[in-house]
Amino acid sequence: MSDVKYHRIVLKLSGEALAGDQKFGINPPEIKLVAKELKQVYESGVQVAIVVGGGNMWRGVTGEQLGMERAQADYIGMLGTIMNALSLQDALESVGVPTRVQTSIEMRQIAEPYIRRRAIRHLEKGRVVIFAGGTGSPYFSTDTTAALRAAEINADAILMGKNGVDGVYSADPNKDASAVKFDHLTHMDVLEKHLHVMDSTASSLSMDNHIPLVVFNFNKAGNILKAVSGESIGTTIEGD
Ligand code: UDP
């Protein structure tokens, strides 16, 4: 515990991280791998809250493009994040990590409702808290949820694992050979340079509440623990 940099974190897990190579749906063996990685962080004594995305199931924007009403499509997306949260809870508990799921949309039979003080208490008692259902409102993202919950529970940092990319680049490194990786950025840099690390609502919220964001490659074993320890394995975004 003494050699970690961040003692309470919000980890943003995109839906993609739970889908594996198939890129869609829920892939239990893949989620088990994620759970084993998280167990290392949990065992280091760090308080871990997780915000799960839902892009492996459904995105509201896609529904809108296909003719649905946006808000209705977004509610479907929020329900997707709850399915992901239950899958992750299952995997974490199977490797011996105690968890609680809290949903922003009440579903009392399967999870607790989101109650800020209760979430903090769970973290203090050594339980991993999984925040599901996004903010509970359409037109937002789970990135914004991560920034919001991080501010609410007073997290030291938001950790954002990316699939196969080891940080923030000036351009897409898979398409542009001249792309340069940034080790440090400010939230304002991200907004001004349109780097699309998170959506702009999430970046502004993180900036206004002085929450650092660490972007790293989620697919390398041991990386979550390294990010928590403050090792420079990706891009750190802080300050305004
Ligand atoms: N969503 C929403 N409000 C929120 C969070 C999420 O409406 O506060 C919906 C939205 O439709 C979004 C979907 O849930 O497309 C899945 O979330 P997101 O796209 O953030 O998932 P990720 O890309 O992280 O997998």
Side-chain angles (χ1 to χ4, degrees):
M1 185 70 180
S2 53
D3 35 329
V4 302
K5 181 170 179 191
Y6 305 116
H7 297 273
R8 177 179 291 169
I9 59 157
V10 168
L11 175 71
K12 165 65 209 297
L13 266 188
S14 71
E16 243 184 33
L18 307 179
D21 290 341
Q22 67 201 33
K23 304 251 184 260
F24 183 80
I26 292 170
N27 182 334
E30 190 67 31
I31 303 175
K32 194 63 103 32
L33 292 178
V34 173
K36 285 182 181 157
E37 286 289 305
L38 287 169
K39 188 177 184 180
Q40 293 176 13
V41 182
Y42 162 77
E43 284 176 342
S44 73
V46 171
Q47 295 182 10
V48 182
I50 302 170
V51 169
V52 278
N56 56 324
M57 304 279 196
W58 178 260
R59 283 183 205 282
V61 184
T62 312
E64 186 181 35
Q65 284 162 357
L66 295 171
M68 288 179 80
E69 197 218 340
R70 173 63 189 268
Q72 184 81 347
D74 274 340
Y75 280 115
I76 299 175
M78 287 183 255
L79 293 177
T81 71
I82 298 173
M83 288 197 257
N84 282 337
L86 295 182
S87 314
L88 184 63
Q89 176 172 49
D90 176 78
L92 281 167
E93 302 232 317
S94 78
V95 296
V97 177
T99 63
R100 291 290 186 274
V101 174
Q102 292 200 340
T103 58
S104 53
I105 297 168
E106 276 199 31
M107 274 196 196
R108 285 178 179 272
Q109 283 79 2
I110 53 172
E112 292 177 8
Y114 171 62
I115 298 170
R116 178 181 155 270
R117 283 172 182 277
R118 208 160 172 189
I120 293 171
R121 192 76 194 110
H122 287 319
L123 293 170
E124 288 168 349
K125 284 189 170 170
R127 296 171 187 140
V128 169
V129 179
I130 305 170
F131 293 127
T135 58
S137 297
Y139 297 99
F140 287 100
S141 67
T142 52
D143 285 356
T144 298
T145 312
L148 177 64
R149 296 290 184 248
E152 288 181 278
I153 66 167
N154 216 354
D156 299 319
I158 302 168
L159 267 56
M160 182 173 277
K162 295 276 180 192
N163 278 334
V165 190
D166 63 348
V168 181
Y169 283 77
S170 55
D172 184 345
N174 296 318
K175 293 181 188 154
D176 184 345
S178 65
V180 190
K181 184 185 155 202
F182 299 108
D183 291 330
H184 292 277
L185 288 166
T186 64
H187 290 294
M188 190 54 94
D189 290 334
V190 171
L191 287 165
E192 281 178 355
K193 294 186 208 286
H194 300 285
L195 292 171
H196 301 297
V197 180
M198 303 167 112
D199 55 81
S200 56
T201 313
S203 279
S204 310
L205 206 54
S206 306
M207 179 171 76
D208 293 349
N209 294 295
H210 315 289
I211 306 165
L213 171 71
V214 183
V215 182
F216 62 100
N217 183 356
F218 185 71
N219 298 123
K220 265 200 191 149
N223 257 4
I224 313 178
L225 190 57
K226 284 183 182 164
V228 167
S229 310
E231 276 188 46
S232 37
I233 53 161
T235 303
T236 304
I237 302 162
E238 56 192 329
D240 37 317

